[in-house]
Amino acid sequence: MTDTAPHFGPTPSASPQRRPRAAAALLAALLGTVFGLLLVSAAPATAHAALTGSDPQDGAVVATAPTQVTLTFSEQVAMGDGSIRVLDPSGKRADTGAEPRDLQGGSTVRYGIPLHAGLPDGTYTVAWQAVSADSHPVSGAFTFSIGAPSKTTVALPTEQAGGGLVGTLYGIARYAAYAGFILLAGGAAFVLACWQRGAGALPLQRLVVRGWMTLTAATLAMLALRNPYTGSGKLADAFDLDGLKAVLDTKAGAALVARLLLLGAAALFIAVLFGAYAKREDEREKKDLTFGLAIGGAVVAAGIAGTWALAEHASTGIQPGIAMPVDVLHLLAVATWLGGLAALLVALYRTPDIGVTAVRRFSRIAFGSVLVLTATGLYQSWRQVGSWSALTGTAYGQLLLVKVGLVAVLVGVAWISRRWTARLTAGTAQAQDECPADSDDDAEATGETKSATAPEDPARAAQLARQKAAVATATKKRIRDADPDRSGLRRSVLAEVGVAVALLAVTTVLTSTEPGRTEEEAARTSTAASVPATAGPLAVSLPFDTGGRNGKGTVRLDIDPGRTGANGLHIWIEAPDGRPLDVPEVKLAFTLTSKDIGPLPVVPDRLTEGHWTASGVQIPMAGNWKIAVTVRTSDIDQTTIGKNVKIG
C-alpha cells in the first residue's frame, strides 16, 4: 500500500526536524540515569537462596569444640572449595580445608565442613559463599564461641557476593542482554508481521543487527565476568581460564553457551531476512519464505528466551515445570511489544515509506502481547510474591509494584497512540480521495521536466537519476513530517519507548532480587536460628529477699535441654549458707515480650526439701524470654524476681 499524506502543508524548517533528535537524546540520558540509580540501589543483588540455620548457631557459646560446622539453606545452592571457611580468633583456618560435604536429606538443603580436633576456647568466625539455584551468588558470615567469647582479629565481610565493580559490570551486561534480545526479536517480528517492505529499509536493518550485536557482546561479557561475579569479586579473574572452565560446568554457564550457539542461528536468520527475503519480488515465493522465516525465527527466539528461564528464577521454587514455559512466553511478549515499538519509532522517524496498514497491524499485535503479558505476569506475581504482606514488605514486591505502575503508564500511552493511528487512517483515506498518488511535484523539485531529454553520458544519467530519487524521497518525507496526525503518533510512540526503557531497567533489577515468597519464608525459618542456642541445660541463678524471717536465699533453675519444645525444669532453693531452704510455694511464668507471648504459667511439684520440679514445660518459640519466679516463704511474705534468658 502506498500512503499519501492527508494534506500538503509547507515544508518544515530545520529546527522542527532537529527537535525529535534532541528529545530522543534527552530521553535516553534521563532513562540512563534512572537505570543507573536502580542499578546502584540494587547492588549487590539479593538472591533466591537464604541461610536459614546453622550448627553451631550464630552467637552460640558451646561447651566443647564441635567436629564440624553445618549450614542450612532455603533453596538449592552450589558449593565448591573454599565456600565455607572457619577462622579461629587469630584468623587462621580452623577447618580442614576440604570441600563442603553435602548433608541433604529430604527437602532440607544442608552442607557441612569438618573442623580440626582440639580447637582451643574462643570466638570463631564462619564465612560462607555459594551460588543459588537461580544463578545469583549468596554470602554471609557469623560467629560462635567455644567455652567463652573472646576477642578476635577477624573482621566480618561487609560486602555481599555479587557486589563491587564486577557486580555493577555484570548488572550492566544483564540489562544490555535484555535490551539486545528485545531489539533483535521484536524488530524482526515487526518486519515479518507488520511491514515486510521494511526488510529493505536500512534503518530497520541497523536496529535488528545492533540488537544482535548487543546481545552477543553482553553474553560474552557475562560469560567472562561469571567467575569473579560468583567468586572473588576481582575483575582480573575474568581472564582466568580455569575459572572459565569451572563456569562452563554450571547451569548458568551452560545457558550462556547455549545462547551464543542460538545467536549463530539468529545471524543466519538476519542474513536471509535482510538479504534474499528483502530482494525477493515474486509474491508467492515471498509468502512461502515469510512462513519459513516466521517459524524459524520463532524457534530461535523461544530458544534464546529459554536460556533465561532455565537458569534464573523460573527454574527454582514452586511449579518450575509450568513457570519456565510461562517465563518464555512472557519474554517473547515483552520483545514483541517493546521491540516492535522501537522498530515503529525508527520507521516513523527514519523511513518515509511506512504506511498506516503497518501501524494498524502492530497496534493489534501489541494488544495481543499485552494480554499475554497480563496473564503470564499474574502467574509470575503469584508464584514469586505469594502474599499481600510480601507485596508491600519485601524489595521484590515493591519493585513489582513499580513495574506494574510503569506497565499501566505504558498501556495508557499506547491507548493514545491507537487514537493517533485511527486519526491517521481517516486522514489518509480522505487524502487519497483529494490528491492523486502520482504527482509532477517530485519532477518539478528536481528542476527537470517530463519532456527533458536524458543526457547521452550513462554515468551522468545515473547520477541525475540518483539525485532525482534522493530529492523525491526527501520531499516525500517533508510532506509526511508536516502531517500533524503523523507527528502526534511519533511523539506518542517516542513516549512509549521512553517508558519501556525505564520498565526494562526495573525488570532487570527485579530478576536479580530475591522473590518475596522465599524472602518471607526464609525470615520465618531463620527466626529461631537467629537466637543463639545453649549447649546442654540452661542454668539460671536468682537471689531473692521476701523481707520476712528466713526470707533471703537463692533460686537455681535448670532448664533441659533449653530449647524450643518440651523442657524439663528443676528448681533448687537455698539459704544464704547454701543449705536447702524449704518454702511453702514456688511459681514460674515465661514471657516473650517481643512476640506478645505469655506469661505462660508453670506450677512445679515439690520433690524434696528445697527441690522442686516440672516436666513438659513448653517453649513455643525461640527468643529472649523473661523468667519470673515467685517465692513465698510465709503466709504473708513473698517476692517475684525475674531474669531475661535466650532460649532457642
Side-chain angles (χ1 to χ4, degrees):
M1 170 181 174
T2 302
D3 292 324
T4 307
H7 67 274
F8 294 94
T11 301
S13 63
S15 178
Q17 292 179 1
R18 286 195 299 265
R19 281 199 294 267
R21 294 184 180 179
L26 178 60
L27 184 61
L30 290 175
L31 293 173
T33 303
V34 170
F35 173 68
L37 292 175
L38 286 170
L39 189 63
V40 170
S41 65
T46 55
H48 201 160
L51 183 70
T52 58
S54 64
D55 187 14
Q57 294 182 4
D58 183 12
V61 180
V62 297
T64 58
T67 59
Q68 69 174 354
V69 171
T70 63
L71 305 180
T72 305
F73 295 91
S74 61
E75 298 286 346
Q76 292 289 340
V77 295
M79 289 276 187
D81 292 339
S83 292
I84 303 177
R85 295 179 298 122
V86 183
L87 307 177
D88 65 15
S90 65
K92 297 180 181 179
R93 292 286 290 267
D95 61 271
T96 61
E99 183 176 350
R101 294 183 295 187
D102 188 350
L103 304 176
Q104 299 186 45
S107 60
T108 302
V109 180
R110 182 181 291 114
Y111 285 86
I113 186 76
L115 303 179
H116 291 301
L119 293 177
D121 291 353
T123 298
Y124 290 76
T125 302
V126 180
W128 59 271
Q129 182 169 330
V131 179
S132 177
D134 59 4
S135 78
H136 301 300
V138 286
S139 64
F142 63 91
T143 62
F144 71 92
S145 300
I146 300 175
S150 68
K151 293 182 179 181
T152 176
T153 60
V154 180
L156 294 178
T158 57
E159 184 176 291
Q160 294 181 351
L165 176 61
V166 170
T168 300
L169 293 176
Y170 196 86
I172 293 173
R174 284 172 58 85
Y175 177 82
Y178 280 117
F181 174 70
I182 286 173
L183 294 180
L184 170 61
F190 179 84
V191 171
L192 284 173
C194 303
W195 191 36
Q196 295 174 5
R197 284 194 297 131
L202 185 59
L204 285 181
Q205 293 178 3
R206 288 174 176 170
L207 178 74
V208 175
V209 171
R210 286 170 181 172
W212 181 90
M213 294 174 64
T214 300
L215 178 55
T216 302
T219 303
L220 289 171
M222 292 172 67
L223 194 59
L225 292 170
R226 185 71 193 170
N227 178 42
Y229 175 67
T230 59
S232 66
K234 299 177 181 178
L235 186 59
D237 286 347
F239 306 100
D240 183 2
L241 295 181
D242 291 335
L244 178 61
K245 181 179 178 181
V247 167
L248 297 179
D249 293 332
T250 65
K251 182 172 66 173
L256 291 173
V257 172
R259 188 181 303 168
L260 288 174
L261 295 175
L262 288 167
L263 283 169
L268 179 61
F269 168 85
I270 293 172
V272 175
L273 177 64
F274 297 138
Y277 181 78
K279 298 175 182 178
R280 194 65 56 92
E281 296 181 357
D282 184 89
E283 290 298 327
R284 180 175 297 180
E285 292 181 358
K286 193 163 189 175
K287 185 177 180 180
D288 293 339
L289 190 54
T290 300
F291 179 78
L293 284 174
I295 296 298
V299 171
V300 173
I304 295 176
T307 61
W308 275 288
L310 290 171
E312 297 195 353
H313 286 324
S315 63
T316 62
I318 61 174
Q319 300 180 350
I322 300 175
M324 286 189 287
V326 167
D327 195 49
V328 170
L329 284 176
H330 192 80
L331 284 172
L332 291 177
V334 169
T336 303
W337 184 18
L338 303 189
L341 270 179
L344 177 60
L345 182 66
V346 169
L348 287 172
Y349 274 102
R350 301 297 300 278
T351 62
D353 296 327
I354 185 170
V356 177
T357 302
V359 179
R360 253 197 331 261
R361 286 174 181 170
F362 174 72
S363 181
R364 290 193 294 266
I365 291 174
F367 180 74
S369 298
V370 171
L371 294 181
V372 175
L373 280 173
T374 302
T376 56
L378 286 174
Y379 172 77
Q380 288 179 327
S381 300
W382 167 81
R383 181 176 177 271
Q384 302 287 18
V385 177
S387 66
W388 291 109
S389 60
L391 189 63
T392 57
T394 64
Y396 188 94
Q398 293 163 2
L399 280 171
L400 184 61
L401 290 177
V402 174
K403 179 181 178 180
V404 170
L406 287 173
V407 170
V409 172
L410 193 57
V411 171
V413 180
W415 178 77
I416 296 174
S417 296
R418 287 174 66 90
R419 294 190 63 185
W420 280 116
T421 300
R423 292 181 60 178
L424 186 62
T425 303
T428 299
Q430 179 182 358
Q432 287 176 337
D433 292 336
E434 297 176 355
C435 303
D438 297 325
S439 174
D440 293 336
D441 292 343
D442 292 344
E444 294 173 0
T446 63
E448 303 287 342
T449 62
K450 291 184 178 181
S451 60
T453 303
E456 297 181 358
D457 185 3
R460 177 61 178 166
Q463 182 181 7
L464 289 175
R466 287 193 298 269
Q467 290 176 350
K468 182 176 179 179
V471 172
T473 300
T475 302
K476 190 175 182 181
K477 186 177 185 300
R478 287 197 301 269
I479 292 173
R480 290 180 182 276
D481 289 344
D483 178 12
D485 295 333
R486 198 178 197 87
S487 298
L489 177 60
R490 294 202 302 192
R491 287 193 298 269
S492 63
V493 172
L494 178 62
E496 283 188 77
V497 172
V499 178
V501 174
L503 177 64
L504 180 59
V506 174
T507 302
T508 303
V509 178
L510 196 63
T511 58
S512 61
T513 303
E514 181 180 359
R517 181 190 293 271
T518 56
E519 184 177 340
E520 281 202 335
E521 289 178 355
R524 286 193 296 266
T525 306
S526 61
T527 298
S530 62
V531 181
T534 56
L538 176 66
V540 180
S541 181
L542 299 171
F544 68 88
D545 184 357
T546 62
R549 187 167 178 255
N550 296 326
K552 293 184 178 181
T554 301
V555 176
R556 289 193 298 107
L557 304 175
D558 275 358
I559 304 174
D560 188 11
R563 298 175 184 264
T564 56
N567 288 264
L569 176 66
H570 289 270
I571 305 172
W572 288 274
I573 302 177
E574 300 174 346
D577 59 3
R579 295 181 180 180
L581 178 62
D582 202 14
V583 296
E585 185 180 20
V586 177
K587 296 185 295 184
L588 287 86
F590 291 81
T591 303
L592 184 59
T593 306
S594 62
K595 300 295 183 181
D596 292 329
I597 299 177
L600 305 178
V602 177
V603 181
D605 297 322
R606 184 178 182 275
L607 189 61
T608 61
E609 183 180 1
H611 187 189
W612 301 67
T613 184
S615 61
V617 178
Q618 292 292 329
I619 304 297
M621 182 180 295
N624 196 6
W625 288 84
K626 179 181 179 180
I627 303 178
V629 182
T630 299
V631 180
R632 182 168 64 85
T633 56
S634 68
D635 291 339
I636 59 174
D637 298 319
Q638 76 173 34
T639 187
T640 299
I641 65 253
K643 186 173 184 178
N644 291 331
V645 296
K646 290 183 178 180
I647 302 177

